Amino acid sequence: MEDHGIECDLLVIGGGMAGLSAAAWAAERGARVIVVEKAAVLGGSAVLSGGVFWTAVSAEKMTLYGGGDPALGRVVFETYPEAVAWLRRRGVDMTPRLDVLHGQGYQIDIHGYVRGCAALVEQHGGSVVLETETLSLIQDASGAVVGAHTRHADGEVVVRAAATVLATGGFQASPELRARYIHPNAREMRLRSNPVSDGAGLRLGQAVGGEVAGFNRGFYGHLVSESRRWDDERLYVALSQYHSEHALLINEAGHRFCDETLGDHTNTYETLIQPGARAICFWDARVHEAYATVPVVSIGEPLDKMRTAIENGGQGVVAATLDEVAAFADDQGFDGLVVRATIEAFNQAARHGWETLRPPRTEDWRPLDKAPYYALVVHPAITFTFGGLTIDTGARVLGVDGTPVPGLFAAGSDGGGAYGHGYAGGLALAMTFGMTAARTAGWA
Ligand SMILES: Cc1cc2nc3c(=O)[nH]c(=O)nc-3n(C[C@H](O)[C@H](O)[C@H](O)COP(=O)(O)OP(=O)(O)OC[C@H]3O[C@@H](n4cnc5c(N)ncnc54)[C@H](O)[C@@H]3O)c2cc1C
């Protein structure tokens, strides 16, 4: 390979939330930064998101709901105020404070944020290069990472850098890695994120001795209805059934299989591991009015989730009686008689004996007995992976012996372990670890 070499202080691989945050933070402090992005546009999943920048409101809630390594969760929680202060200083548009799931945050102008990060990099003498593959990382004789071999339409370029940040956004777009690290059923799982993040950060990091975090099968996703146009990313939010946490989830054999009230993202994993990797989501008129037609974050648009699902090819029914629900379940290949018995038994226990519910309901055990009834076939869809390269609280990539691979950092979904069974914000995870990586690399 010809060495058309260029030099910089910081090389960032991946131009989404984590990478651009690391790049802009370092550039603002005087670093010459090069960002290489594989796609033709910047922003990755961040620009598909609603830009709700939120996290848990206490370290205890982070541990309870995030369920990952408490030390890494604390980095998100403790860096968040500084991240918000940086957004304000830079004049990024933000709403007033919002309640979001079990935390709080703001909706930010995510497109403006992404553009602003790229502008900061360029103002400080760096560059942001699109449609560029990273072939491999370069190590010096001591094993330190000192840059990367990259390939662009114009040819191959060696980028030499004092520090390198992996920020390619996780491995959710790789069916093989999903099946290997999450669950065999995950091979066929629908993708509700940018389609480019297929585990490049993991592969690049492992090739220079980085360890893959011992392995966290968790992921963030939602239950979705079937769709004729699943490749239309504008439907990701519209077809997500966030209200499953107030509904019942019933498998093909007709049984409940999880505590639905722990949250739709937890229900997504529980559904994935059921035979057939699907479920009937059942709710009643009360839940419909209170949750299935109301946006999950107060600034969203109201939307009737059943109507939207059916209009887009989903299999669902609005039924006057449980007999109709049972007939629908049979048509869809579920055991309708058992489905009906499960709903009746749930309602009976919910009225007289919530403590006998199995699986239990931690947050909401009210009966679902107000007609009309709603039954929708739902499937798991993945947004980003929780497992990744093992990192420390400074975002350094660790080797199998637990010591850092010098010069190498991972941020956002490329860094594993901050979340475990649950979740407290993807943008916050990416931005706080991006800032942390840049700081540890010397740009405090
Ligand atoms: C529909 C949707 C809604 C969401 N809503 C929210 C929300 O409201 N709040 C929230 O907190 N989170 C939300 N998220 C999650 C959030 O967007 C992600 O958690 C966050 O963007 C992850 O940041 P990241 O930098 O790790 O990945 P990304 O932002 O996806 O960036 C990764 C980048 O790396 C690039 N890349 C991939 N492979 C390579 C390679 N080999 N070389 C170079 N570049 C590469 C990708 O093209 C991409 O630009 C949502 C996501 C989606 C899809």
PDB file of all heavy atoms in Angstrom, residues 13-18 36-39 43-46 48-50 52 54 167-169 192-194 196 200 236 383-384 412-413 423 425-427 430, ligand 1:
ATOM      1  N   ILE A  13     -13.208   7.107  14.388  1.00  0.00           N
ATOM      2  CA  ILE A  13     -13.778   6.216  13.369  1.00  0.00           C
ATOM      3  C   ILE A  13     -15.275   6.092  13.651  1.00  0.00           C
ATOM      4  O   ILE A  13     -15.693   5.448  14.623  1.00  0.00           O
ATOM      5  CB  ILE A  13     -13.070   4.849  13.399  1.00  0.00           C
ATOM      6  CG1 ILE A  13     -11.568   5.065  13.152  1.00  0.00           C
ATOM      7  CG2 ILE A  13     -13.671   3.907  12.345  1.00  0.00           C
ATOM      8  CD1 ILE A  13     -10.717   3.818  13.323  1.00  0.00           C
ATOM      9  N   GLY A  14     -16.092   6.753  12.823  1.00  0.00           N
ATOM     10  CA  GLY A  14     -17.542   6.774  13.012  1.00  0.00           C
ATOM     11  C   GLY A  14     -18.018   8.178  13.343  1.00  0.00           C
ATOM     12  O   GLY A  14     -17.615   8.758  14.346  1.00  0.00           O
ATOM     13  N   GLY A  15     -18.873   8.715  12.464  1.00  0.00           N
ATOM     14  CA  GLY A  15     -19.341  10.098  12.631  1.00  0.00           C
ATOM     15  C   GLY A  15     -20.779  10.182  13.089  1.00  0.00           C
ATOM     16  O   GLY A  15     -21.604  10.870  12.497  1.00  0.00           O
ATOM     17  N   GLY A  16     -21.107   9.439  14.175  1.00  0.00           N
ATOM     18  CA  GLY A  16     -22.437   9.550  14.791  1.00  0.00           C
ATOM     19  C   GLY A  16     -22.319  10.326  16.097  1.00  0.00           C
ATOM     20  O   GLY A  16     -21.438  11.175  16.262  1.00  0.00           O
ATOM     21  N   MET A  17     -23.206  10.014  17.033  1.00  0.00           N
ATOM     22  CA  MET A  17     -23.282  10.791  18.275  1.00  0.00           C
ATOM     23  C   MET A  17     -21.993  10.722  19.087  1.00  0.00           C
ATOM     24  O   MET A  17     -21.470  11.739  19.529  1.00  0.00           O
ATOM     25  CB  MET A  17     -24.463  10.285  19.115  1.00  0.00           C
ATOM     26  CG  MET A  17     -24.783  11.172  20.280  1.00  0.00           C
ATOM     27  SD  MET A  17     -25.385  12.776  19.678  1.00  0.00           S
ATOM     28  CE  MET A  17     -25.600  13.643  21.239  1.00  0.00           C
ATOM     29  N   ALA A  18     -21.469   9.514  19.287  1.00  0.00           N
ATOM     30  CA  ALA A  18     -20.278   9.378  20.127  1.00  0.00           C
ATOM     31  C   ALA A  18     -19.057   9.970  19.430  1.00  0.00           C
ATOM     32  O   ALA A  18     -18.293  10.738  20.023  1.00  0.00           O
ATOM     33  CB  ALA A  18     -20.043   7.908  20.454  1.00  0.00           C
ATOM     34  N   VAL A  36     -13.436   9.745  10.252  1.00  0.00           N
ATOM     35  CA  VAL A  36     -13.734   8.968   9.049  1.00  0.00           C
ATOM     36  C   VAL A  36     -15.074   8.262   9.240  1.00  0.00           C
ATOM     37  O   VAL A  36     -15.284   7.549  10.218  1.00  0.00           O
ATOM     38  CB  VAL A  36     -12.616   7.960   8.674  1.00  0.00           C
ATOM     39  CG1 VAL A  36     -11.373   8.685   8.203  1.00  0.00           C
ATOM     40  CG2 VAL A  36     -12.277   7.014   9.808  1.00  0.00           C
ATOM     41  N   GLU A  37     -15.965   8.486   8.307  1.00  0.00           N
ATOM     42  CA  GLU A  37     -17.334   7.950   8.381  1.00  0.00           C
ATOM     43  C   GLU A  37     -17.575   7.066   7.166  1.00  0.00           C
ATOM     44  O   GLU A  37     -17.293   7.461   6.036  1.00  0.00           O
ATOM     45  CB  GLU A  37     -18.322   9.132   8.421  1.00  0.00           C
ATOM     46  CG  GLU A  37     -19.764   8.802   8.108  1.00  0.00           C
ATOM     47  CD  GLU A  37     -20.397   7.771   9.042  1.00  0.00           C
ATOM     48  OE1 GLU A  37     -20.321   7.956  10.264  1.00  0.00           O
ATOM     49  OE2 GLU A  37     -20.962   6.792   8.519  1.00  0.00           O
ATOM     50  N   LYS A  38     -18.118   5.896   7.408  1.00  0.00           N
ATOM     51  CA  LYS A  38     -18.333   4.941   6.309  1.00  0.00           C
ATOM     52  C   LYS A  38     -19.505   5.341   5.403  1.00  0.00           C
ATOM     53  O   LYS A  38     -19.468   5.115   4.188  1.00  0.00           O
ATOM     54  CB  LYS A  38     -18.587   3.553   6.905  1.00  0.00           C
ATOM     55  CG  LYS A  38     -18.668   2.458   5.881  1.00  0.00           C
ATOM     56  CD  LYS A  38     -18.749   1.123   6.590  1.00  0.00           C
ATOM     57  CE  LYS A  38     -19.099   0.008   5.618  1.00  0.00           C
ATOM     58  NZ  LYS A  38     -19.291  -1.269   6.320  1.00  0.00           N
ATOM     59  N   ALA A  39     -20.541   5.904   5.998  1.00  0.00           N
ATOM     60  CA  ALA A  39     -21.745   6.223   5.218  1.00  0.00           C
ATOM     61  C   ALA A  39     -21.536   7.506   4.400  1.00  0.00           C
ATOM     62  O   ALA A  39     -20.551   8.218   4.563  1.00  0.00           O
ATOM     63  CB  ALA A  39     -22.935   6.394   6.157  1.00  0.00           C
ATOM     64  N   GLY A  43     -24.009  11.316  11.109  1.00  0.00           N
ATOM     65  CA  GLY A  43     -25.071  11.316  12.121  1.00  0.00           C
ATOM     66  C   GLY A  43     -25.602   9.963  12.526  1.00  0.00           C
ATOM     67  O   GLY A  43     -26.246   9.850  13.568  1.00  0.00           O
ATOM     68  N   GLY A  44     -25.365   8.917  11.720  1.00  0.00           N
ATOM     69  CA  GLY A  44     -25.761   7.567  12.116  1.00  0.00           C
ATOM     70  C   GLY A  44     -27.175   7.488  12.668  1.00  0.00           C
ATOM     71  O   GLY A  44     -28.102   8.142  12.166  1.00  0.00           O
ATOM     72  N   SER A  45     -27.346   6.709  13.720  1.00  0.00           N
ATOM     73  CA  SER A  45     -28.669   6.565  14.330  1.00  0.00           C
ATOM     74  C   SER A  45     -29.114   7.858  15.010  1.00  0.00           C
ATOM     75  O   SER A  45     -30.316   8.083  15.181  1.00  0.00           O
ATOM     76  CB  SER A  45     -28.663   5.436  15.367  1.00  0.00           C
ATOM     77  OG  SER A  45     -28.537   4.203  14.720  1.00  0.00           O
ATOM     78  N   ALA A  46     -28.147   8.673  15.391  1.00  0.00           N
ATOM     79  CA  ALA A  46     -28.509   9.896  16.113  1.00  0.00           C
ATOM     80  C   ALA A  46     -29.489  10.741  15.294  1.00  0.00           C
ATOM     81  O   ALA A  46     -30.467  11.272  15.826  1.00  0.00           O
ATOM     82  CB  ALA A  46     -27.255  10.699  16.454  1.00  0.00           C
ATOM     83  N   LEU A  48     -31.554   9.696  13.126  1.00  0.00           N
ATOM     84  CA  LEU A  48     -32.853   9.020  12.975  1.00  0.00           C
ATOM     85  C   LEU A  48     -33.668   9.151  14.252  1.00  0.00           C
ATOM     86  O   LEU A  48     -34.857   8.855  14.289  1.00  0.00           O
ATOM     87  CB  LEU A  48     -32.655   7.529  12.684  1.00  0.00           C
ATOM     88  CG  LEU A  48     -31.802   7.156  11.480  1.00  0.00           C
ATOM     89  CD1 LEU A  48     -31.710   5.638  11.352  1.00  0.00           C
ATOM     90  CD2 LEU A  48     -32.398   7.755  10.226  1.00  0.00           C
ATOM     91  N   SER A  49     -32.992   9.549  15.329  1.00  0.00           N
ATOM     92  CA  SER A  49     -33.661   9.598  16.635  1.00  0.00           C
ATOM     93  C   SER A  49     -34.473  10.871  16.745  1.00  0.00           C
ATOM     94  O   SER A  49     -34.306  11.802  15.967  1.00  0.00           O
ATOM     95  CB  SER A  49     -32.628   9.559  17.764  1.00  0.00           C
ATOM     96  OG  SER A  49     -32.096  10.848  17.990  1.00  0.00           O
ATOM     97  N   GLY A  50     -35.324  10.894  17.752  1.00  0.00           N
ATOM     98  CA  GLY A  50     -36.082  12.114  18.019  1.00  0.00           C
ATOM     99  C   GLY A  50     -35.230  13.154  18.734  1.00  0.00           C
ATOM    100  O   GLY A  50     -35.697  14.252  19.013  1.00  0.00           O
ATOM    101  N   VAL A  52     -34.108  13.005  21.820  1.00  0.00           N
ATOM    102  CA  VAL A  52     -34.434  13.188  23.246  1.00  0.00           C
ATOM    103  C   VAL A  52     -33.207  12.765  24.057  1.00  0.00           C
ATOM    104  O   VAL A  52     -32.878  11.586  24.157  1.00  0.00           O
ATOM    105  CB  VAL A  52     -35.689  12.397  23.646  1.00  0.00           C
ATOM    106  CG1 VAL A  52     -35.977  12.609  25.126  1.00  0.00           C
ATOM    107  CG2 VAL A  52     -36.873  12.845  22.809  1.00  0.00           C
ATOM    108  N   TRP A  54     -31.572  12.276  27.300  1.00  0.00           N
ATOM    109  CA  TRP A  54     -32.052  12.060  28.668  1.00  0.00           C
ATOM    110  C   TRP A  54     -31.231  10.987  29.344  1.00  0.00           C
ATOM    111  O   TRP A  54     -30.538  10.209  28.696  1.00  0.00           O
ATOM    112  CB  TRP A  54     -33.524  11.616  28.658  1.00  0.00           C
ATOM    113  CG  TRP A  54     -33.703  10.206  28.144  1.00  0.00           C
ATOM    114  CD1 TRP A  54     -33.691   9.798  26.837  1.00  0.00           C
ATOM    115  CD2 TRP A  54     -33.861   9.018  28.930  1.00  0.00           C
ATOM    116  NE1 TRP A  54     -33.854   8.442  26.763  1.00  0.00           N
ATOM    117  CE2 TRP A  54     -33.962   7.929  28.038  1.00  0.00           C
ATOM    118  CE3 TRP A  54     -33.949   8.767  30.309  1.00  0.00           C
ATOM    119  CZ2 TRP A  54     -34.128   6.607  28.458  1.00  0.00           C
ATOM    120  CZ3 TRP A  54     -34.128   7.454  30.730  1.00  0.00           C
ATOM    121  CH2 TRP A  54     -34.213   6.390  29.804  1.00  0.00           C
ATOM    122  N   ALA A 167     -15.952   4.488  17.248  1.00  0.00           N
ATOM    123  CA  ALA A 167     -17.327   4.970  17.522  1.00  0.00           C
ATOM    124  C   ALA A 167     -18.223   4.611  16.350  1.00  0.00           C
ATOM    125  O   ALA A 167     -18.917   5.451  15.793  1.00  0.00           O
ATOM    126  CB  ALA A 167     -17.302   6.474  17.759  1.00  0.00           C
ATOM    127  N   THR A 168     -18.205   3.309  15.980  1.00  0.00           N
ATOM    128  CA  THR A 168     -18.945   2.896  14.784  1.00  0.00           C
ATOM    129  C   THR A 168     -20.394   2.482  15.088  1.00  0.00           C
ATOM    130  O   THR A 168     -21.113   2.038  14.203  1.00  0.00           O
ATOM    131  CB  THR A 168     -18.228   1.751  14.034  1.00  0.00           C
ATOM    132  OG1 THR A 168     -18.291   0.559  14.827  1.00  0.00           O
ATOM    133  CG2 THR A 168     -16.769   2.091  13.740  1.00  0.00           C
ATOM    134  N   GLY A 169     -20.809   2.594  16.345  1.00  0.00           N
ATOM    135  CA  GLY A 169     -22.240   2.476  16.645  1.00  0.00           C
ATOM    136  C   GLY A 169     -22.760   1.092  16.976  1.00  0.00           C
ATOM    137  O   GLY A 169     -23.966   0.878  16.961  1.00  0.00           O
ATOM    138  N   ARG A 192     -33.987  -1.463  13.732  1.00  0.00           N
ATOM    139  CA  ARG A 192     -34.573  -0.110  13.731  1.00  0.00           C
ATOM    140  C   ARG A 192     -33.471   0.882  14.093  1.00  0.00           C
ATOM    141  O   ARG A 192     -33.489   1.551  15.127  1.00  0.00           O
ATOM    142  CB  ARG A 192     -35.815  -0.018  14.647  1.00  0.00           C
ATOM    143  CG  ARG A 192     -35.565  -0.148  16.094  1.00  0.00           C
ATOM    144  CD  ARG A 192     -36.810  -0.195  16.958  1.00  0.00           C
ATOM    145  NE  ARG A 192     -37.611   0.993  17.106  1.00  0.00           N
ATOM    146  CZ  ARG A 192     -37.278   2.051  17.828  1.00  0.00           C
ATOM    147  NH1 ARG A 192     -36.117   2.131  18.421  1.00  0.00           N
ATOM    148  NH2 ARG A 192     -38.127   3.067  17.939  1.00  0.00           N
ATOM    149  N   SER A 193     -32.456   0.963  13.225  1.00  0.00           N
ATOM    150  CA  SER A 193     -31.349   1.899  13.434  1.00  0.00           C
ATOM    151  C   SER A 193     -30.694   2.136  12.083  1.00  0.00           C
ATOM    152  O   SER A 193     -31.138   1.596  11.077  1.00  0.00           O
ATOM    153  CB  SER A 193     -30.318   1.306  14.395  1.00  0.00           C
ATOM    154  OG  SER A 193     -29.444   0.431  13.720  1.00  0.00           O
ATOM    155  N   ASN A 194     -29.594   2.896  12.098  1.00  0.00           N
ATOM    156  CA  ASN A 194     -28.854   3.048  10.840  1.00  0.00           C
ATOM    157  C   ASN A 194     -28.365   1.658  10.409  1.00  0.00           C
ATOM    158  O   ASN A 194     -28.034   0.829  11.255  1.00  0.00           O
ATOM    159  CB  ASN A 194     -27.699   4.042  11.035  1.00  0.00           C
ATOM    160  CG  ASN A 194     -26.448   3.370  11.572  1.00  0.00           C
ATOM    161  OD1 ASN A 194     -25.773   2.653  10.840  1.00  0.00           O
ATOM    162  ND2 ASN A 194     -26.154   3.579  12.842  1.00  0.00           N
ATOM    163  N   VAL A 196     -25.659   0.731   8.954  1.00  0.00           N
ATOM    164  CA  VAL A 196     -24.211   0.652   8.692  1.00  0.00           C
ATOM    165  C   VAL A 196     -23.456   0.022   9.874  1.00  0.00           C
ATOM    166  O   VAL A 196     -22.382  -0.547   9.698  1.00  0.00           O
ATOM    167  CB  VAL A 196     -23.660   2.064   8.393  1.00  0.00           C
ATOM    168  CG1 VAL A 196     -22.188   2.023   8.014  1.00  0.00           C
ATOM    169  CG2 VAL A 196     -24.459   2.717   7.272  1.00  0.00           C
ATOM    170  N   ALA A 200     -17.930  -3.102  13.100  1.00  0.00           N
ATOM    171  CA  ALA A 200     -16.561  -2.769  12.675  1.00  0.00           C
ATOM    172  C   ALA A 200     -15.692  -2.384  13.871  1.00  0.00           C
ATOM    173  O   ALA A 200     -14.514  -2.771  13.945  1.00  0.00           O
ATOM    174  CB  ALA A 200     -16.596  -1.627  11.655  1.00  0.00           C
ATOM    175  N   TYR A 236     -40.089   3.783  12.193  1.00  0.00           N
ATOM    176  CA  TYR A 236     -39.521   3.096  13.361  1.00  0.00           C
ATOM    177  C   TYR A 236     -40.271   3.463  14.645  1.00  0.00           C
ATOM    178  O   TYR A 236     -40.578   2.603  15.458  1.00  0.00           O
ATOM    179  CB  TYR A 236     -38.042   3.452  13.548  1.00  0.00           C
ATOM    180  CG  TYR A 236     -37.109   2.880  12.512  1.00  0.00           C
ATOM    181  CD1 TYR A 236     -35.814   3.363  12.391  1.00  0.00           C
ATOM    182  CD2 TYR A 236     -37.497   1.859  11.656  1.00  0.00           C
ATOM    183  CE1 TYR A 236     -34.936   2.849  11.459  1.00  0.00           C
ATOM    184  CE2 TYR A 236     -36.626   1.341  10.713  1.00  0.00           C
ATOM    185  CZ  TYR A 236     -35.354   1.840  10.620  1.00  0.00           C
ATOM    186  OH  TYR A 236     -34.487   1.343   9.696  1.00  0.00           O
ATOM    187  N   THR A 383     -32.333  -1.573  18.207  1.00  0.00           N
ATOM    188  CA  THR A 383     -31.809  -0.238  17.908  1.00  0.00           C
ATOM    189  C   THR A 383     -30.298  -0.185  18.130  1.00  0.00           C
ATOM    190  O   THR A 383     -29.564   0.280  17.268  1.00  0.00           O
ATOM    191  CB  THR A 383     -32.492   0.825  18.784  1.00  0.00           C
ATOM    192  OG1 THR A 383     -33.897   0.701  18.618  1.00  0.00           O
ATOM    193  CG2 THR A 383     -32.065   2.226  18.388  1.00  0.00           C
ATOM    194  N   PHE A 384     -29.831  -0.619  19.297  1.00  0.00           N
ATOM    195  CA  PHE A 384     -28.370  -0.710  19.469  1.00  0.00           C
ATOM    196  C   PHE A 384     -28.014  -1.745  20.517  1.00  0.00           C
ATOM    197  O   PHE A 384     -28.833  -2.117  21.363  1.00  0.00           O
ATOM    198  CB  PHE A 384     -27.727   0.642  19.756  1.00  0.00           C
ATOM    199  CG  PHE A 384     -28.015   1.239  21.121  1.00  0.00           C
ATOM    200  CD1 PHE A 384     -27.211   0.953  22.212  1.00  0.00           C
ATOM    201  CD2 PHE A 384     -29.065   2.119  21.300  1.00  0.00           C
ATOM    202  CE1 PHE A 384     -27.454   1.517  23.457  1.00  0.00           C
ATOM    203  CE2 PHE A 384     -29.319   2.695  22.537  1.00  0.00           C
ATOM    204  CZ  PHE A 384     -28.513   2.378  23.625  1.00  0.00           C
ATOM    205  N   GLY A 412     -19.787   5.309  22.908  1.00  0.00           N
ATOM    206  CA  GLY A 412     -21.121   4.979  22.387  1.00  0.00           C
ATOM    207  C   GLY A 412     -21.307   3.479  22.380  1.00  0.00           C
ATOM    208  O   GLY A 412     -20.813   2.763  23.255  1.00  0.00           O
ATOM    209  N   SER A 413     -21.993   2.971  21.376  1.00  0.00           N
ATOM    210  CA  SER A 413     -22.337   1.554  21.367  1.00  0.00           C
ATOM    211  C   SER A 413     -21.130   0.654  21.102  1.00  0.00           C
ATOM    212  O   SER A 413     -21.255  -0.562  21.245  1.00  0.00           O
ATOM    213  CB  SER A 413     -23.423   1.298  20.317  1.00  0.00           C
ATOM    214  OG  SER A 413     -24.497   2.175  20.545  1.00  0.00           O
ATOM    215  N   TYR A 423     -31.802   0.321  30.391  1.00  0.00           N
ATOM    216  CA  TYR A 423     -31.370   1.378  29.488  1.00  0.00           C
ATOM    217  C   TYR A 423     -31.696   2.728  30.101  1.00  0.00           C
ATOM    218  O   TYR A 423     -32.729   2.889  30.760  1.00  0.00           O
ATOM    219  CB  TYR A 423     -32.153   1.126  28.207  1.00  0.00           C
ATOM    220  CG  TYR A 423     -32.327   2.257  27.253  1.00  0.00           C
ATOM    221  CD1 TYR A 423     -31.305   2.570  26.363  1.00  0.00           C
ATOM    222  CD2 TYR A 423     -33.506   2.976  27.202  1.00  0.00           C
ATOM    223  CE1 TYR A 423     -31.484   3.582  25.440  1.00  0.00           C
ATOM    224  CE2 TYR A 423     -33.690   3.983  26.282  1.00  0.00           C
ATOM    225  CZ  TYR A 423     -32.674   4.282  25.403  1.00  0.00           C
ATOM    226  OH  TYR A 423     -32.854   5.257  24.496  1.00  0.00           O
ATOM    227  N   GLY A 425     -30.919   5.911  28.168  1.00  0.00           N
ATOM    228  CA  GLY A 425     -30.558   6.905  27.155  1.00  0.00           C
ATOM    229  C   GLY A 425     -29.401   6.466  26.272  1.00  0.00           C
ATOM    230  O   GLY A 425     -28.340   6.106  26.786  1.00  0.00           O
ATOM    231  N   GLY A 426     -29.621   6.481  24.949  1.00  0.00           N
ATOM    232  CA  GLY A 426     -28.559   6.117  24.001  1.00  0.00           C
ATOM    233  C   GLY A 426     -27.725   7.321  23.615  1.00  0.00           C
ATOM    234  O   GLY A 426     -26.494   7.241  23.514  1.00  0.00           O
ATOM    235  N   LEU A 427     -28.370   8.459  23.401  1.00  0.00           N
ATOM    236  CA  LEU A 427     -27.621   9.666  23.029  1.00  0.00           C
ATOM    237  C   LEU A 427     -26.724  10.094  24.182  1.00  0.00           C
ATOM    238  O   LEU A 427     -25.574  10.509  23.983  1.00  0.00           O
ATOM    239  CB  LEU A 427     -28.591  10.795  22.659  1.00  0.00           C
ATOM    240  CG  LEU A 427     -29.444  10.547  21.408  1.00  0.00           C
ATOM    241  CD1 LEU A 427     -30.507  11.638  21.249  1.00  0.00           C
ATOM    242  CD2 LEU A 427     -28.578  10.460  20.151  1.00  0.00           C
ATOM    243  N   ALA A 430     -23.700   7.903  24.415  1.00  0.00           N
ATOM    244  CA  ALA A 430     -22.747   8.191  23.338  1.00  0.00           C
ATOM    245  C   ALA A 430     -22.022   9.515  23.590  1.00  0.00           C
ATOM    246  O   ALA A 430     -20.794   9.605  23.464  1.00  0.00           O
ATOM    247  CB  ALA A 430     -23.488   8.223  22.005  1.00  0.00           C
TER     248      ALA A 430
HETATM  249  C1  LIG B   1     -35.427   5.528  15.536  1.00  0.00           C
HETATM  250  C2  LIG B   1     -34.475   5.821  16.657  1.00  0.00           C
HETATM  251  C3  LIG B   1     -34.908   6.601  17.718  1.00  0.00           C
HETATM  252  C4  LIG B   1     -34.034   6.864  18.778  1.00  0.00           C
HETATM  253  N1  LIG B   1     -34.440   7.719  19.748  1.00  0.00           N
HETATM  254  C5  LIG B   1     -33.583   8.037  20.742  1.00  0.00           C
HETATM  255  C6  LIG B   1     -33.925   9.039  21.677  1.00  0.00           C
HETATM  256  O1  LIG B   1     -34.942   9.742  21.548  1.00  0.00           O
HETATM  257  N2  LIG B   1     -33.087   9.236  22.743  1.00  0.00           N
HETATM  258  C7  LIG B   1     -31.920   8.556  22.869  1.00  0.00           C
HETATM  259  O2  LIG B   1     -31.201   8.785  23.852  1.00  0.00           O
HETATM  260  N3  LIG B   1     -31.517   7.684  21.934  1.00  0.00           N
HETATM  261  C8  LIG B   1     -32.318   7.412  20.879  1.00  0.00           C
HETATM  262  N4  LIG B   1     -31.912   6.530  19.910  1.00  0.00           N
HETATM  263  C9  LIG B   1     -30.602   5.868  20.070  1.00  0.00           C
HETATM  264  C10 LIG B   1     -29.442   6.771  19.673  1.00  0.00           C
HETATM  265  O3  LIG B   1     -29.685   7.332  18.412  1.00  0.00           O
HETATM  266  C11 LIG B   1     -28.154   5.952  19.667  1.00  0.00           C
HETATM  267  O4  LIG B   1     -28.040   5.301  20.925  1.00  0.00           O
HETATM  268  C12 LIG B   1     -26.910   6.800  19.429  1.00  0.00           C
HETATM  269  O5  LIG B   1     -27.014   7.483  18.200  1.00  0.00           O
HETATM  270  C13 LIG B   1     -25.674   5.904  19.440  1.00  0.00           C
HETATM  271  O6  LIG B   1     -24.552   6.684  19.182  1.00  0.00           O
HETATM  272  P1  LIG B   1     -23.288   6.018  18.473  1.00  0.00           P
HETATM  273  O7  LIG B   1     -22.337   7.098  18.164  1.00  0.00           O
HETATM  274  O8  LIG B   1     -22.830   4.862  19.271  1.00  0.00           O
HETATM  275  O9  LIG B   1     -23.901   5.421  17.112  1.00  0.00           O
HETATM  276  P2  LIG B   1     -24.436   6.245  15.856  1.00  0.00           P
HETATM  277  O10 LIG B   1     -24.994   7.538  16.272  1.00  0.00           O
HETATM  278  O11 LIG B   1     -25.294   5.329  15.075  1.00  0.00           O
HETATM  279  O12 LIG B   1     -23.104   6.532  15.027  1.00  0.00           O
HETATM  280  C14 LIG B   1     -22.301   5.499  14.503  1.00  0.00           C
HETATM  281  C15 LIG B   1     -21.676   6.002  13.214  1.00  0.00           C
HETATM  282  O13 LIG B   1     -20.634   5.126  12.809  1.00  0.00           O
HETATM  283  C16 LIG B   1     -20.742   4.944  11.402  1.00  0.00           C
HETATM  284  N5  LIG B   1     -20.028   3.706  11.041  1.00  0.00           N
HETATM  285  C17 LIG B   1     -20.459   2.425  11.123  1.00  0.00           C
HETATM  286  N6  LIG B   1     -19.487   1.585  10.703  1.00  0.00           N
HETATM  287  C18 LIG B   1     -18.430   2.352  10.367  1.00  0.00           C
HETATM  288  C19 LIG B   1     -17.123   2.077   9.879  1.00  0.00           C
HETATM  289  N7  LIG B   1     -16.717   0.817   9.630  1.00  0.00           N
HETATM  290  N8  LIG B   1     -16.269   3.105   9.661  1.00  0.00           N
HETATM  291  C20 LIG B   1     -16.652   4.388   9.868  1.00  0.00           C
HETATM  292  N9  LIG B   1     -17.897   4.712  10.302  1.00  0.00           N
HETATM  293  C21 LIG B   1     -18.764   3.706  10.574  1.00  0.00           C
HETATM  294  C22 LIG B   1     -22.217   4.923  11.146  1.00  0.00           C
HETATM  295  O14 LIG B   1     -22.526   5.177   9.780  1.00  0.00           O
HETATM  296  C23 LIG B   1     -22.678   6.071  12.061  1.00  0.00           C
HETATM  297  O15 LIG B   1     -22.600   7.324  11.434  1.00  0.00           O
HETATM  298  C24 LIG B   1     -32.725   6.296  18.810  1.00  0.00           C
HETATM  299  C25 LIG B   1     -32.288   5.537  17.719  1.00  0.00           C
HETATM  300  C26 LIG B   1     -33.154   5.309  16.650  1.00  0.00           C
HETATM  301  C27 LIG B   1     -32.634   4.541  15.482  1.00  0.00           C
END
